[in-house]
Amino acid sequence: MIIPLTAAIIFGLALAHYKWAISRTNLETKTFLCTHFLTMFGVGALAAWWWGSWETPLFSQPRYIGLFLIIVSFGLVYNYFLVRGLKRESLHEYELIDLLMPIFTVVLAAIAFVDEREPVRIGLALLGASVFLITHWRRHQVVFKQADRWLVYAVFLMALERVLVKPILTIIDPIVLYTLRTGLISLILLLFFRPRLARIPAVEWLQLVINGLLGVTSMVLIWTSINQFGVVVTELYLLVTPIVLAIVSLFFFKERWTLLQVWSFVVILASIGLMNQLL
C-alpha cells in the first residue's frame, strides 16, 4: 500500500505549500488561479510526455467525454473556493474542514459503485473520518465562519470529482488524464481572465513550479491508487494528510495541537493498520 500512503504524505505537503504560497502572494485570486493551473499543466505535460500512455478511447465515447467535462468544471469551481477560503484561514482550519471530504467521498462511492460497498472497509474509513469530524465539531461548536463555508463547498466538489474520476481511469493513464484536465482548465482561465503573465515576478513563478511538482505528483498517485485499490481504501489512507498538515503547522506555523487531535491521529493510524491486515 505504498502508493496511497505516499500520495497522502505528498498531498499534505502540497496543501501546506499551497496555503503558504497563497497567504504570501501579492497576486489577485484570478491571476493566481491562472498561473497555478498553467504550471500544473506544464509539469504534468512533461511527465505525461515521458511516462504517460496516450492511447485511450476517452474522446470516442460520449459517456466519458461527459464525465471529463464535469470534473473539469468541478476543478474550476472548487479551486476558486479554495483560494478564497485559504487566504483567510490558518492551516489547521483547512486540515479540519478537509476531514469532511472522506465522509462525503466514501458515502458517494458506496452509492455509485457496487465494488465499493465492502462493509469493513467502509466502516474503517468512516470511523477515522468521523473521529476527526467530531473533533472539529467540538472545537468550533458547529459554527462555521464565512471562510469556512468556502472551504466546505470546495471539499464537497472535490469529493464528487474523486468519485466521478474512477470510471474514467479504467480507460486512460492517470498522468495523461490529469494533464488534459489541467490543460483545459488553464485554457479556460486564461481566455476568461486574460492575466498579465509577463508582470509576475520570478520568485512567484518559482513557488508556483514547486507547488506544481507537489500537486501533480500527489494527484497522479491518488488517482493511481483509486484505480488500483478503489475509492474507499484510498480515502482511508488519505486521512494521513491531516496528520502531515498538523506536523507542518506545528513546526513551521506554530499552530498548536489539541489532545483531541492527538487522539484522532491514533484512531486514524490504527484504522489504517487494520486495513493493512485485511487487504
Side-chain angles (χ1 to χ4, degrees):
M1 308 302 284
I2 297 297
I3 291 177
L5 183 59
T6 304
I9 294 172
I10 298 178
F11 189 49
L13 295 175
L15 288 175
H17 185 272
Y18 193 50
K19 162 62 185 173
W20 182 86
I22 289 174
S23 64
R24 285 162 176 76
T25 184
N26 293 318
L27 301 179
E28 294 181 302
T29 298
K30 61 182 183 180
T31 303
F32 183 87
L33 280 173
C34 291
T35 52
H36 169 68
F37 274 102
L38 192 60
T39 52
M40 296 277 277
F41 170 66
V43 172
L46 288 174
W49 177 266
W50 287 101
W51 297 294
S53 173
W54 290 86
E55 296 181 4
T56 173
L58 173 64
F59 298 108
S60 63
Q61 300 184 32
R63 174 195 176 194
Y64 293 113
I65 294 175
L67 287 173
F68 174 70
L69 293 177
I70 289 173
I71 66 172
V72 167
S73 63
F74 283 176
L76 278 167
V77 176
Y78 77 63
N79 275 279
Y80 175 78
F81 288 158
L82 278 178
V83 173
R84 286 289 299 270
L86 288 177
K87 276 191 173 182
R88 307 176 188 181
E89 292 298 297
S90 59
L91 182 59
H92 76 271
E93 291 292 336
Y94 180 78
E95 165 206 332
L96 295 172
I97 293 294
D98 184 47
L99 296 169
L100 293 170
M101 184 173 171
I103 294 179
F104 293 154
T105 308
V106 170
V107 171
L108 289 171
I111 292 173
F113 306 114
V114 175
D115 60 344
E116 297 284 358
R117 297 173 187 170
E118 208 285 319
V120 176
R121 295 183 182 182
I122 293 176
L124 289 172
L126 291 179
L127 172 64
S130 298
V131 168
F132 272 113
L133 180 59
I134 292 170
T135 301
H136 177 277
W137 216 315
R138 292 186 60 181
R139 185 172 181 178
H140 295 276
Q141 300 178 352
V142 209
V143 176
F144 289 93
K145 295 176 290 186
Q146 183 60 42
D148 289 333
R149 294 191 184 99
W150 287 113
L151 295 177
V152 173
Y153 300 152
V155 167
F156 182 69
L157 290 177
M158 290 169 72
L160 284 173
E161 180 192 56
R162 195 162 289 172
V163 172
L164 293 175
V165 79
K166 179 178 178 178
I168 307 179
L169 291 171
T170 61
I171 64 166
I172 188 171
D173 193 312
I175 183 61
V176 174
L177 177 60
Y178 196 71
T179 299
L180 293 174
R181 171 186 174 274
T182 53
L184 183 54
I185 291 176
S186 298
L187 179 61
I188 294 171
L189 290 174
L190 290 171
L191 292 175
F192 187 76
F193 290 126
R194 299 182 181 276
R196 298 179 179 179
L197 302 180
R199 296 186 177 183
I200 299 175
V203 66
E204 297 275 9
W205 280 112
L206 176 61
Q207 296 303 324
L208 288 163
V209 170
I210 293 173
N211 192 256
L213 288 169
L214 292 171
V216 170
T217 303
S218 62
M219 290 305 300
V220 170
L221 287 173
I222 288 171
W223 285 4
T224 300
S225 177
I226 289 174
N227 191 37
Q228 293 185 10
F229 305 108
V231 177
V232 173
V233 172
T234 300
E235 282 304 312
L236 176 59
Y237 276 85
L238 286 177
L239 287 171
V240 171
T241 296
I243 301 177
V244 175
L245 286 173
I247 294 172
V248 172
S249 67
L250 177 66
F251 286 98
F252 294 96
F253 298 97
K254 308 303 180 183
E255 297 173 7
R256 297 180 180 180
W257 295 5
T258 66
L259 183 60
L260 286 175
Q261 282 180 294
V262 175
W263 178 66
S264 299
F265 299 160
V266 173
V267 173
I268 288 298
L269 295 176
S271 298
I272 292 176
L274 287 173
M275 180 67 78
N276 274 329
Q277 295 297 319
L278 295 173
L279 293 177

